[in-house]
């Protein structure tokens, strides 16, 4: 049973437009959500996160929105740039886990077309 | 932040052989984590490696298949034993850095393993 779902394996967006990457989760105990970005032949790097006590977190061109009632979060990239082309992983964790553990989605490959 | 050096970056191995992946961190960390990403799949946690004790394995992963060493607070190895083509994956080591409100994960660059 996949607790974190990214239902779109790929997404293509024109440069300068908005990219919206979606993520759904099923475990209501998750209280922290993170987005990671992964280029080919590199490990994932942290991008942005949001706590369940918030519904929005913004960092430059990147904004993450959280809808707890729908168990849904999304990452918005505005404006999209060719360098944003990468695989984006949504991850979730909960503070009651004791030891740290992230649960990842399968990733969405974003292609930004110049 | 934490800088993680992972090697080899890629390898092609014969079935039935074993490969040991090394992970070096530039600072001391309590826990190190090993993940696997099979083609088209999520990053899946294999095990958590604590220094001075046996690794804790997630459901579906066993020590005989994925032995882990953690000799000190900056280094760990993961061995993929008796490999089969199904073990072809990207293997990643990761460490946790505690922030004020959450923990942030840093990853090595990954090891792309192909078993033929």
């Amino acid at each position: 049973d996949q607790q974190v779902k990214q239902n779109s394996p790929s997404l293509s967006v024109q440069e300068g437009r908005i990219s919206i990457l979606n993520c759904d989760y099923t475990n209501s105990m998750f209280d922290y959500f993170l987005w990671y970005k992964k280029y080919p032949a590199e490990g994932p790097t942290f991008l942005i996160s949001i706590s369940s006590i918030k519904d929005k977190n913004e960092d430059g061109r990147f904004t993450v929105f959280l809808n707890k009632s729908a168990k849904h979060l999304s990452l918005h990239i505005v404006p999209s740039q060719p360098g944003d082309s990468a695989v984006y992983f949504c991850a979730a964790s909960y503070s009651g886990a004791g030891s740290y553990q992230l649960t990842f989605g399968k990733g969405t490959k974003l292609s930004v077309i110049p | 932040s934490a800088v993680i050096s992972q090697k080899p970056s890629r390898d092609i191995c014969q079935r039935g052989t074993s490969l040991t992946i090394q992970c070096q961190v530039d600072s001391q960390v309590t826990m190190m984590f090993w993940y696997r990403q099979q083609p088209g799949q999520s990053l899946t946690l294999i095990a958590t490696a604590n220094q001075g004790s046996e690794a804790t394995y997630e459901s579906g992963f066993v020590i005989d298949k994925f032995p882990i060493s953690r000799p000190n607070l900056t280094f760990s190895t993961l061995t993929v034993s008796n490999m089969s083509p199904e073990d072809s994956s990207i293997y990643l080591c990761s460490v946790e850095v505690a922030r004020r409100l959450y923990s942030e994960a840093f990853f090595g660059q990954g090891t792309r393993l192909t078993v033929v």
Side-chain angles (χ1 to χ4, degrees):
Chain A
D1 175 37
Q2 199 171 7
Q3 297 186 62
V4 178
K5 300 177 184 178
Q6 293 177 258
N7 291 320
S8 297
S10 63
L11 174 69
S12 289
V13 172
Q14 205 73 31
E15 180 179 4
R17 309 291 283 268
I18 183 171
S19 295
I20 300 177
L21 296 95
N22 293 304
C23 179
D24 297 290
Y25 61 97
T26 58
N27 189 338
S28 58
M29 294 185 67
F30 287 142
D31 57 9
Y32 209 87
F33 305 90
L34 308 94
W35 284 92
Y36 283 82
K37 177 178 176 179
K38 184 180 184 300
Y39 292 116
E42 294 183 15
T45 56
F46 172 74
L47 189 59
I48 192 169
S49 63
I50 188 167
S51 164
S52 61
I53 63 174
K54 294 186 174 182
D55 54 20
K56 177 183 175 181
N57 188 26
E58 190 172 351
D59 183 2
R61 296 186 296 115
F62 303 92
T63 303
V64 56
F65 296 91
L66 175 63
N67 182 335
K68 287 192 296 293
S69 61
K71 293 190 176 68
H72 176 84
L73 63 154
S74 60
L75 174 68
H76 292 211
I77 306 173
V78 183
S80 302
Q81 299 173 354
D84 296 328
S85 297
V87 177
Y88 290 79
F89 290 97
C90 171
S93 69
Y94 63 98
S95 52
S99 64
Y100 161 91
Q101 181 167 342
L102 287 176
T103 302
F104 286 88
K106 290 185 178 183
T108 297
K109 183 177 182 180
L110 172 66
S111 300
V112 179
I113 304 163
Chain B
S1 66
V3 176
I4 303 173
S5 173
Q6 184 176 339
K7 57 182 181 182
S9 59
R10 57 176 60 230
D11 208 341
I12 301 173
C13 300
Q14 296 289 324
R15 72 169 68 206
T17 63
S18 298
L19 175 72
T20 295
I21 303 167
Q22 298 181 2
C23 185
Q24 179 77 50
V25 190
D26 68 342
S27 57
Q28 294 184 338
V29 292
T30 303
M31 292 189 288
M32 294 177 73
F33 307 87
W34 288 96
Y35 286 85
R36 178 176 75 180
Q37 186 189 10
Q38 293 178 303
Q41 300 298 314
S42 305
L43 287 160
T44 303
L45 183 64
I46 298 171
T48 302
N50 295 320
Q51 193 270 334
S53 63
E54 278 197 6
T56 303
Y57 289 82
E58 298 301 307
S59 175
F61 298 97
V62 295
I63 188 171
D64 289 346
K65 176 66 176 177
F66 297 101
I68 287 172
S69 78
R70 185 78 204 276
N72 57 55
L73 291 172
T74 63
F75 187 79
S76 179
T77 67
L78 170 77
T79 299
V80 186
S81 303
N82 189 24
M83 288 183 284
S84 66
E86 292 72 33
D87 295 320
S88 297
S89 288
I90 298 174
Y91 293 84
L92 294 138
C93 68
S94 172
V95 302
E96 168 195 2
V97 175
R99 303 296 191 204
R100 188 168 64 90
L101 295 177
Y102 66 96
S103 293
E104 182 179 335
F106 293 87
F107 290 85
Q109 67 267 45
T111 297
R112 183 179 293 273
L113 170 63
T114 303
V115 183
V116 298

